[in-house]
Structures are given as structure tokens and as C-alpha cells.
Amino acid sequence: SSRDIPFNKLVLSQGDPIGDVLERRELVREFVRVSHAKGWRVAVAGAANEALEDYAAVGFKSMYLGDEAVIRPATFSLDGRAIRKVRQSVSRLQKSGYRVEVLSTGDADEALRAQVRAVSEEWRGNWPERGFTMAMDALFIYPDTVLAVAVAPDGRVGGFLQLVPSP
């Protein structure tokens, strides 16, 4: 039985299966069966709302973690009414003297790491680190990740993003 096999790896499926939606439930059920036979735990990130019923029927529980942002730097702009609140926030932070530093997590010294961890802990409160897919659930674990750090005029970290580069 697959229940006798210890789960020592996690398989994270991003999005829903491609194909006939009428076959989705059985496809997911088979995917879970094969994964469990190999001792793998299974999770799905980015499932479509209309697929949640099929996942629940196979035993998954849904949890809303937020929305991921995809930004194409070549076409991104702060112009226009739709992004007015972001533009106002940027302006307010610039006027307050904040600057942004972008660096590899591997280049962050221990003092910066401590400040970033403190900001993260304050923001989360009693909630566990979830990190979303862009942060990979952990700070400073993955050497290829990038930090964008908002630094106040007095040198303190006011906020940050940890990003996974996408070639």
C-alpha cells in the first residue's frame, strides 16, 4: 500500500492539467496514485477556480495564498489611471528618501539578513512563512534568488521582495 511508504519528497504541480476537463478528475487521481506509490507528497499551486471541485474530490484541500505578479520590465509603466495608487506610493516613498537596492541573496551580509528576517517576522505575525512561489517558501536558502530591498534614509530595511529569476 502507498500508505506504508514514507513521504520524503514533494511534487508541486503548477496549474491544471491540459486536456479535456471531463478527464481532469481521473487524471489527477492517477497522478496522485503514482506519486504516492513513489513516496511523494503532492500539492498544486495556481489551480483554476473551476478545477477546485475536481481536486477536492481527489482529497485536496484548497487554500488561497494570494496572487502572483508577472511584470514585463520592457513594457511596464507607472502611467495611466489603472496604476495610479502604485504611482502615488512610489512618489511618497521617494519623497521620504527611500531607495531600492537589488542584490543576490548570496551577497546579503548578516546584518542585512537580520533586518530582512525582522521585517518578514513583523509582517507575518504568527503566520508561517509561505513565501508564495516567487520566494520559494524560504529566505536566503536558494543562491540564485534576488532581493529588492527598500532602504530608509537612516539605513533601516523598510520592506523587501525576494524574487526567483526567470530566464
Side-chain angles (χ1 to χ4, degrees), residues 112-124 139 160:
L112 177 59
R113 288 172 182 241
Q115 286 191 66
V116 166
R117 283 188 187 103
V119 168
S120 181
E121 288 169 10
E122 181 181 347
W123 180 78
R124 286 191 338 265
L139 290 172
F160 72 94

Side-chain angles (χ1 to χ4, degrees), residues 134-155:
M134 69 180 175
M136 310 261 306
D137 291 335
L139 290 172
F140 309 112
I141 299 296
Y142 307 99
D144 293 341
T145 57
V146 173
L147 283 176
V149 182
V151 182
D154 65 3

Side-chain angles (χ1 to χ4, degrees), residues 14-34:
Q14 180 69 38
D16 302 315
I18 297 171
D20 188 342
V21 296
L22 298 175
E23 297 174 0
R24 179 174 44 219
R25 189 174 297 186
E26 191 53 41
L27 178 64
V28 171
R29 184 174 279 117
E30 180 64 7
F31 177 65
V32 169
R33 186 194 67 75
V34 170

Side-chain angles (χ1 to χ4, degrees), residues 66-81:
D67 296 318
E68 296 292 347
V70 176
I71 296 174
R72 292 176 176 78
T75 59
F76 180 78
S77 170
L78 289 174
D79 295 334
R81 181 154 179 80

